[in-house]
Amino acid sequence: MSKPFYQAVEKEITIFKHTYKCKIPFLLKGPTGTGKSRFIEFMAYELDTKLITISCHEETSSTDLIGRFIIKGAETVWLDGPLTTAVKEGHILYLDEIAEARPDVIVAIHSLTDHRRELFIDKLGKTIKAHENFMLVASFNPGYQRGFKELKPSTRQRFVAISFDYPTEKLEAQIVVSETGIQPDVAKKLVNIATKIRNLTELGLTETVSTRLLVDAAKLIHTGLPKRLAVHVAVVEPLTDDLEVIQALKDLSDLMI
């Protein structure tokens, strides 16, 4: 596996290494597309450990994480889920958008997030002590559907937490160049468009322009797609389905690139 590209913003790499050493769960807070998942991939590479990622959604249950009985031939056998595998073998388990998962997931991980560091498997009547190298990492977007998809304070306080946000314009342009090989002046224009849209709070967008969207646009431009068209399809269209807002954003971005 090649080393994932990650541009440090502050002291997050140092903080993560110390947290890993202390065996404390780690929480990443921040909007979509600000590099949370890439950061964890980078840290797993740096620490030379396996990473298991679960993208949580409203149907994600504790059974999906812990495991289940399956029929194999004429017998019923137990199949470990990704959480159980990570606990036994000492991997990093990353629960992406943990607030989206069902409440029983939070209940299942509680005993792994305190001094016990153990997992109770109800269906087997067994308790497993976590491997020395096991680490639980989770992420969530505090601003998404505020009031509906929040983590309880009692859960948040079980983690060391850092907030991810969009990088400075200069750093974001560097990231876009490093990820895509695009010309620096074009990367700067893309970042300027993103900054402008992010400041248009009156549009009421659920999500705003992520660094990920800028990278996608830059990749399209780098392969020869006209700049304005690339911004339209990679930045503007993914943000909203409102035709008036789409037109307004297209007009704005056309003026800037």
Side-chain angles (χ1 to χ4, degrees):
M1 177 185 170
S2 59
K3 185 174 184 176
F5 172 77
Y6 178 76
Q7 179 66 55
V9 178
E10 291 186 10
K11 304 281 189 193
E12 65 270 29
I13 293 174
T14 302
I15 294 167
F16 190 93
K17 285 181 176 177
H18 280 272
T19 308
Y20 181 76
K21 205 177 286 184
C22 294
K23 302 177 176 53
I24 305 171
F26 198 84
L27 181 65
L28 304 167
K29 303 186 293 181
T32 299
T34 48
K36 300 189 297 293
S37 296
R38 177 64 67 88
F39 171 65
I40 294 303
E41 289 171 10
F42 174 81
M43 292 311 308
Y45 182 92
E46 284 283 291
L47 295 165
D48 193 23
T49 186
K50 185 176 176 181
L51 172 67
I52 299 176
T53 299
I54 305 295
S55 296
C56 298
H57 51 80
E58 59 192 17
E59 296 299 320
T60 304
S61 68
S62 59
T63 297
D64 296 324
L65 297 185
I66 294 172
R68 50 169 51 91
F69 285 105
I70 61 167
I71 306 296
K72 196 171 184 181
E75 57 180 352
T76 304
V77 296
W78 173 260
L79 184 67
D80 281 343
L83 174 60
T84 305
T85 299
V87 167
K88 284 181 176 178
E89 298 178 6
H91 308 314
I92 294 176
L93 183 89
Y94 176 42
L95 298 175
D96 190 15
E97 299 296 353
I98 189 174
E100 297 289 319
R102 283 168 35 176
D104 61 324
V105 168
I106 305 296
V107 174
I109 65 171
H110 261 200
S111 57
L112 284 166
T113 57
D114 58 26
H115 66 282
R116 291 171 289 178
R117 278 178 55 86
E118 60 187 31
L119 175 66
F120 177 63
I121 304 178
D122 183 41
K123 288 173 182 162
L124 297 178
K126 273 186 185 178
T127 297
I128 300 170
K129 281 283 183 188
H131 186 286
E132 183 185 355
N133 295 330
F134 169 75
M135 184 178 192
L136 180 68
V137 179
S139 73
F140 91 112
N141 181 352
Y144 181 65
Q145 292 186 343
R146 188 171 292 281
F148 293 98
K149 299 284 186 180
E150 294 290 334
L151 278 182
K152 291 180 181 177
S154 59
T155 300
R156 283 205 305 269
Q157 289 176 23
R158 292 169 175 267
F159 293 81
V160 163
I162 59 172
S163 292
F164 271 57
D165 206 344
Y166 304 108
T168 62
E169 291 185 29
K170 184 179 178 183
L171 183 55
E172 191 164 32
Q174 287 174 4
I175 291 169
V176 173
V177 171
S178 298
E179 285 277 284
T180 66
I182 200 168
Q183 293 297 318
D185 62 316
V186 179
K188 189 176 179 183
K189 286 177 182 176
L190 289 172
V191 171
N192 288 342
I193 290 170
T195 302
K196 188 76 172 173
I197 295 174
R198 287 168 190 163
N199 290 330
L200 294 174
T201 52
E202 65 272 18
L203 291 179
L205 296 170
T206 308
E207 296 280 358
T208 191
V209 183
S210 66
T211 306
R212 182 189 299 143
L213 292 185
L214 297 185
V215 168
D216 290 344
K219 284 177 179 176
L220 294 175
I221 294 167
H222 194 54
T223 57
L225 196 69
K227 296 185 190 73
R228 288 179 175 178
L229 182 56
V231 172
H232 291 176
V233 298
V235 177
V236 174
E237 290 283 356
L239 289 179
T240 179
D241 298 321
D242 185 311
L243 295 179
E244 287 186 11
V245 175
I246 287 173
Q247 191 58 53
L249 293 178
K250 280 183 177 179
D251 293 343
L252 170 70
S253 58
D254 284 352
L255 289 170
M256 298 180 71
I257 197 164

